[in-house]
Amino acid sequence: MSFKYPLSAVVKVGLSGEAGQVKGRADYVSAGNQYYVHYLAADGRAVNAWFDEDEIQPASEMPKA
């Protein structure tokens, strides 16, 4: 399965709307694509976290409801 987002893409976390940059990607036999995103959390901390492809979107789009 190909990746939807390239490395260094700016993406937004769908639920929180926090935006960051894709720093890594992973694909697994038993799961979909995942992205390691470095982003600024709502409380001002710099955070790194893994997200499934359906949990993020391009930063220019509105958050999913």
Side-chain angles (χ1 to χ4, degrees):
M1 177 186 261
S2 63
F3 289 100
K4 184 175 181 179
Y5 304 103
L7 293 173
S8 298
V10 178
V11 296
K12 186 180 292 186
V13 179
L15 289 176
S16 67
E18 297 161 327
Q21 186 177 40
V22 174
K23 295 292 187 179
R25 303 182 300 193
D27 59 343
Y28 300 94
V29 172
S30 61
N33 293 341
Q34 294 188 345
Y35 296 83
Y36 191 61
V37 180
H38 179 75
Y39 66 98
L40 187 63
D43 64 4
R45 294 175 300 120
V47 179
N48 295 298
W50 285 99
F51 295 95
D52 292 336
E53 192 166 80
D54 63 353
E55 295 176 319
I56 59 175
Q57 60 197 23
S60 59
E61 292 183 10
M62 296 298 293
K64 296 176 184 176

